[in-house]
Amino acid sequence: MKLSCLQENLSRGLSIVGRAVAGRSTLPITQNVLLETDRSMLKLSATNLEIAITTWIGSMIEEEGAFTVPARLLTEFVNSLPSDRIDLEMEEGGGVLRFVCGRAEARIHGADANDFPPIPQVEEGVAARIGAQDFKLAISRVAFAAATEESRPVLTGVEAKLSGDRFTLAAADGFRLAVQHGALAEPVESDIGVIVPARTLNELSRLLGDQNDTVDIMMVPARSQVMFKIGGVEVVSQLVQGAFPNYDQLIPQKYDSRSVFDLQKLLRATRSAAIFARDGSNIIRLQMTPGEEEAPGKAVISARSEEVGENQGEVDTEAIEGGESKIAFNSRYLQEVLAVLERGQVALETTTSSSPGVFKPIGSDDYVHVVMPMFVQW
Amino acid sequence: MRHIIHADLDAFYAAVEQLDAPELRGQPVLVGGSPRSRGVVATASYEARVFGVHSAMPMSTAVRHCPQGIVVRPRFDRYREMSRRVMDIFHDLTDLVEPLSLDEAYLDISAVVASGQLPLGVAIDLKRRVKEETGLALSVGAGTAKSVVKIASDLQKPDGLVVVAPGQEREFLAPLPVGKLWGIGPKTAERLRRDGITTIGDLAGQPGDWFARRFGKRAESVRARALGQDDDPVQTERSPKSISAETTFPNDISAPEELRGKLAGLAANVARHLERKELQGRTITVKLRLSDYTTLNRQTTLTYATAAESVILETAWRLLAAELSPGLAFRLLGVGMSTFGEAPERGQQLALPLAEG
């Protein structure tokens, strides 16, 4: 193998595939990155066996070939080089890849490409196409609600359902549920539902950056694989096996009280309360009181810790429908849903203090977030 | 804030005997089994208690302590009758009466207090009415929490009256021995004593994380009681074992949509009852009676407790749908919920009832 490429291209490529490099692993070669000539490009691949990322960078190929070197070492070395041309060449006798960039030179010991786990080729599945930013928004609003502990593996995934020209992402961790609907860029030929690891989607979201392009998706449930193509990057992931819980019945269709908040105001009061909640039982209490006649009403957001003290903030609501209501949430769950909705207004719908609270952004029917309350003494 | 009274009849069985037999008045009366047949003391009159006799003591021991004691066989029908008369007086005052046994009850008098009466006045009136109408002496504790009033009624027995003013709960409890607190048994009390915690005040002064370590899931409730701040409501009835609803149709039904519609009504009914009783169940049952009067019961148990109408409906429908076949007509449908979970602890994160997909 012998080729030349630009330092900045190699650096960028390595940072893209780097997220799939295994940490400590029982299979040491998964800590390597696979370098492979592919027509007139240099192909970079890494995998931790759950997820594989591949990208291509432009290069001048003189001699074809493939080799793997430790990803972290190579990345750090390349990042230390000036923005210049890098020449790569296998040393005679093999086993060592030589890098030359200006007057810097390195010899890196590696492993045979044939020993690298094969990157699955995902073909002949159900194809779909989603706008990159639509997908990124949906991931940001849903993936955080997935479970992080593995006691129920399906809950560590995000269920993706595609039907006609719509998609739905849903995640739940046993205490909360997030569901986002959106439009596909092109309709799917057949309806399909798969469970994608939340980790995969979080990596994908990072790769999507501020791209305005579309993401091509290929799902092969029979082989439990999914591939995402974004620009010149391919992400292949294992799917989570199993049946996702039927969550429709968990989304309350009625409420006794509905309060509309300015998100920034509510988020600010919640963050103040969270400082006090974190030393106690992580409980934040919300008490909504409708206003007299035309007045919009107010909410008191409070938290207390026996040791530290207590905090109480009052927020004007934009509107309160129905009567007074009281509900207490885990501080993290409350902050997380408010943070992903970012700006604008949000409605909180409640029935009783021990029934789920429902958050919906105002002006969009595409998102619903259900959070179970904490049972507290009022 | 709640206003609660704990009302406790003094030496109830013995007092009834003394009431019915004037010659027993002023005498040490021991109500219970025979001293020769391993009977125990059910109740000792205050005259007998002076000699160290107490209830549950073997009668043979009791008569050794108190040889002049008059042993009387219990007449439970008579006690039940007197108890009913006293409970009727309680019910005149408030609907919220939680009987604990024949001779004691919690009364929620919040509404009476809200109408302008002071708890002290309510307690005095109650004692007087019971005395006048039944001849029995009642000890009363009044305050804002069950844990407080239960201790208060015991403090000046017999014929006692202790009112703990709102805000004074903690001070009131502080000097009392820790074993008086509801939920602190003799063993726990002994362990606490070894750690230097002898009074309720010592206990209440411990930091929150100490309670968590010491009492685990009970921490918040024990602590609330030690502070006199528990908010257990007066429970007017015992929790049922199951809640169900059923309906017989004027004409047999076989259309699945129609059956589902009926099921939805029943599920809503059950959910409403569960919510009213603050119960959550895990076992969902459907009862099906076919046109030929064959009756089927099908049930499933969820991994979590719920009172959600939609979960009850969907689960019941799954059970019903499995039995459907063309031509089968139903004359009755029922939906039930049982295996009730414990009420959640304070500070507990409630779970989303995620069924298996």
Side-chain angles (χ1 to χ4, degrees):
Chain A
M1 182 165 73
K2 186 174 181 190
L3 59 99
S4 311
C5 62
L6 290 175
Q7 182 271 346
E8 64 235 43
N9 290 345
L10 185 55
S11 170
R12 184 170 41 80
L14 288 169
S15 83
I16 289 170
V17 301
R19 299 294 288 241
V21 173
R24 275 194 214 101
S25 166
T26 49
L27 191 60
I29 201 168
T30 55
Q31 294 171 23
N32 286 8
V33 58
L34 171 64
L35 310 174
E36 202 176 353
T37 57
D38 185 6
R39 293 178 295 270
S40 65
M41 310 282 272
L42 174 62
K43 179 176 162 187
L44 307 174
S45 307
T47 180
N48 58 17
L49 304 180
E50 179 179 81
I51 179 171
I53 303 180
T54 302
T55 191
W56 289 260
I57 62 171
S59 58
M60 295 269 297
I61 311 282
E62 280 181 51
E63 233 174 77
E64 305 218 326
F67 194 56
T68 79
V69 291
R72 183 151 169 220
L73 177 73
L74 177 61
T75 306
E76 287 181 6
F77 168 61
V78 169
N79 287 347
S80 75
L81 294 175
S83 174
D84 206 339
R85 198 184 80 185
I86 302 178
D87 299 313
L88 281 74
E89 191 176 2
M90 283 295 292
E91 284 200 347
E92 283 190 31
V96 175
L97 195 58
R98 195 154 66 94
F99 293 78
V100 179
C101 178
R103 293 159 74 181
E105 189 180 332
R107 297 171 67 252
I108 300 182
H109 294 263
D112 197 293
N114 290 323
D115 296 335
F116 199 76
I119 305 296
Q121 298 299 304
V122 180
E123 289 155 356
E124 296 187 4
V126 177
R129 181 169 283 176
I130 301 184
Q133 289 311 307
D134 292 343
F135 199 27
K136 190 177 172 187
L137 177 80
I139 293 170
S140 76
R141 286 178 166 189
V142 171
F144 71 95
T148 48
E149 46 114 15
E150 308 270 342
S151 68
R152 277 180 77 180
V154 291
L155 298 185
T156 63
V158 172
E159 187 195 45
K161 280 196 283 200
L162 288 73
S163 173
D165 60 354
R166 302 284 293 167
F167 72 88
T168 302
L169 296 189
D173 66 359
F175 303 113
R176 53 187 172 161
L177 163 71
V179 182
Q180 170 81 35
H181 303 282
L184 294 170
E186 287 168 21
V188 276
E189 57 229 40
S190 58
D191 293 359
I192 187 168
V194 294
I195 306 173
V196 185
R199 280 191 295 270
T200 298
L201 292 181
N202 287 330
E203 288 307 330
L204 210 58
S205 171
R206 189 183 61 89
L207 293 172
L208 287 168
D210 45 20
Q211 287 215 29
N212 272 319
D213 217 347
T214 52
V215 183
D216 284 316
I217 306 175
M218 179 71 80
M219 288 155 285
V220 193
R223 286 169 53 195
S224 195
Q225 284 169 348
V226 60
M227 180 174 72
F228 302 92
K229 262 194 213 179
I230 319 149
V233 182
E234 286 182 10
V235 177
V236 177
S237 170
Q238 294 295 313
L239 293 173
V240 181
Q241 298 280 26
F244 201 77
N246 177 9
Y247 54 81
D248 287 336
Q249 62 190 29
L250 300 177
I251 303 173
Q253 301 301 317
K254 293 180 286 195
Y255 56 80
D256 289 344
S257 174
R258 180 175 188 269
S259 306
V260 178
F261 294 93
D262 175 89
L263 261 162
Q264 288 304 313
K265 286 186 205 163
L266 180 57
L267 193 52
R268 201 176 306 120
T270 300
R271 285 186 172 140
S272 296
I275 298 166
F276 289 78
R278 76 181 168 215
D279 288 312
S281 39
N282 286 317
I283 298 170
I284 294 185
R285 293 154 194 261
L286 288 83
Q287 281 183 269
M288 278 70 69
T289 315
E292 302 283 323
E293 291 165 22
E294 297 296 293
K298 61 186 170 54
V300 173
I301 289 96
S302 63
R304 61 169 174 253
S305 153
E306 298 293 348
E307 273 71 39
V308 179
E310 56 190 58
N311 160 277
Q312 175 168 318
E314 193 175 290
V315 177
D316 284 332
T317 65
E318 308 303 311
I320 293 183
E321 202 185 305
E324 274 190 1
S325 65
K326 296 172 178 178
I327 195 160
F329 292 116
N330 176 296
S331 158
R332 180 164 68 90
Y333 298 165
L334 180 60
Q335 288 185 83
E336 283 182 349
V337 59
L338 297 180
V340 298
L341 290 173
E342 274 181 298
R343 57 183 69 83
Q345 294 183 347
V346 63
L348 167 58
E349 299 172 357
T350 59
T351 44
T352 70
S353 304
S354 51
S355 312
V358 182
F359 292 88
K360 292 175 177 170
I362 297 293
S364 154
D365 293 332
D366 286 342
Y367 184 64
V368 56
H369 190 93
V370 179
V371 189
M372 287 304 290
M374 310 265 303
F375 187 81
V376 300
Q377 175 183 9
W378 285 98
Chain B
M1 187 178 22
R2 284 196 186 91
H3 288 278
I4 299 175
I5 275 180
H6 180 252
D8 195 358
L9 292 162
D10 301 324
F12 177 50
Y13 300 167
V16 173
E17 296 303 335
Q18 290 177 325
L19 196 66
D20 290 351
E23 68 275 17
L24 293 178
R25 293 179 197 167
Q27 301 294 324
V29 174
L30 304 169
V31 178
S34 154
R36 287 180 297 280
S37 65
R38 295 198 223 161
V40 296
V41 177
T43 305
S45 70
Y46 280 90
E47 294 84 354
R49 293 185 192 192
V50 177
F51 298 94
V53 175
H54 54 80
S55 51
M57 178 182 271
M59 190 60 87
S60 50
T61 314
V63 294
R64 257 203 320 279
H65 283 297
C66 179
Q68 65 275 54
I70 303 164
V71 179
V72 178
R73 304 298 298 271
R75 297 179 296 149
F76 289 109
D77 286 347
R78 174 70 178 144
Y79 307 150
R80 269 192 285 276
E81 184 196 334
M82 290 300 283
S83 172
R84 232 181 346 260
R85 285 174 57 188
V86 173
M87 294 291 169
D88 284 347
I89 295 172
F90 294 169
H91 276 285
D92 267 358
L93 186 61
T94 170
D95 286 336
L96 298 174
V97 176
E98 177 182 350
L100 298 174
S101 61
L102 288 181
D103 58 353
E104 58 174 321
Y106 286 116
L107 284 68
D108 186 322
I109 55 159
S110 305
V112 189
V113 173
S115 74
Q117 293 194 54
L118 290 174
L120 176 64
V122 176
I124 290 172
D125 285 347
L126 190 66
K127 282 167 63 73
R128 190 167 51 218
R129 264 199 75 184
V130 169
K131 186 77 188 175
E132 283 173 5
E133 294 180 25
T134 68
L136 294 169
L138 185 71
S139 286
V140 171
T144 59
K146 275 185 171 178
S147 62
V148 173
V149 297
K150 171 97 170 151
I151 292 173
S153 70
D154 191 47
L155 220 56
Q156 292 182 3
K157 265 180 166 296
D159 204 16
L161 172 56
V162 175
V163 177
V164 181
Q168 301 296 309
E169 295 85 358
R170 187 174 178 172
E171 278 173 61
F172 165 76
L173 293 175
L176 301 171
V178 72
K180 283 214 177 264
L181 205 60
W182 191 84
I184 303 291
K187 280 190 186 152
T188 309
E190 179 50 39
R191 273 198 293 275
L192 290 172
R193 256 192 298 280
R194 262 182 264 139
D195 290 353
I197 294 166
T198 56
T199 65
I200 298 175
D202 295 340
L203 182 63
Q206 301 301 319
D209 53 350
W210 179 91
F211 276 90
R213 278 199 309 277
R214 190 78 191 221
F215 294 102
K217 286 177 78 175
R218 291 170 60 213
E220 267 221 57
S221 54
V222 173
R223 182 157 197 227
R225 283 199 291 270
L227 292 164
Q229 289 174 353
D230 66 287
D231 70 341
D232 298 342
V234 171
Q235 309 237 331
T236 51
E237 50 191 311
R238 300 258 166 251
S239 304
K241 287 224 176 348
S242 72
I243 284 178
S244 59
E246 60 178 55
T247 178
T248 305
F249 311 126
N251 299 301
D252 294 358
I253 297 179
S254 55
E257 320 77 72
E258 209 178 333
L259 287 167
R260 190 180 156 99
K262 298 293 181 193
L263 206 60
L266 294 168
N269 191 334
V270 170
R272 205 163 48 240
H273 277 88
L274 287 168
E275 188 172 338
R276 201 174 304 150
K277 295 191 187 296
E278 295 184 1
L279 289 171
Q280 301 206 327
R282 289 175 51 209
T283 302
I284 292 167
T285 309
V286 293
K287 178 175 172 186
L288 314 169
R289 183 165 295 149
L290 307 180
S291 45
D292 65 358
Y293 281 88
T294 312
T295 304
L296 308 169
N297 282 290
R298 296 288 179 263
Q299 68 172 52
T300 184
T301 298
L302 306 172
T303 54
Y304 54 88
T306 182
E309 181 180 331
S310 53
V311 176
I312 298 170
L313 172 60
E314 294 308 325
T315 309
W317 174 245
R318 219 174 56 227
L319 294 170
L320 169 59
E323 301 299 328
L324 291 180
S325 63
L328 208 58
F330 295 84
R331 55 177 295 115
L332 175 150
L333 275 188
V335 174
M337 176 70 102
S338 53
T339 320
F340 297 124
E342 284 178 23
E345 287 280 318
R346 252 179 246 140
Q348 182 185 329
Q349 169 69 55
L350 303 178
L352 198 63
L354 283 171
E356 299 299 323

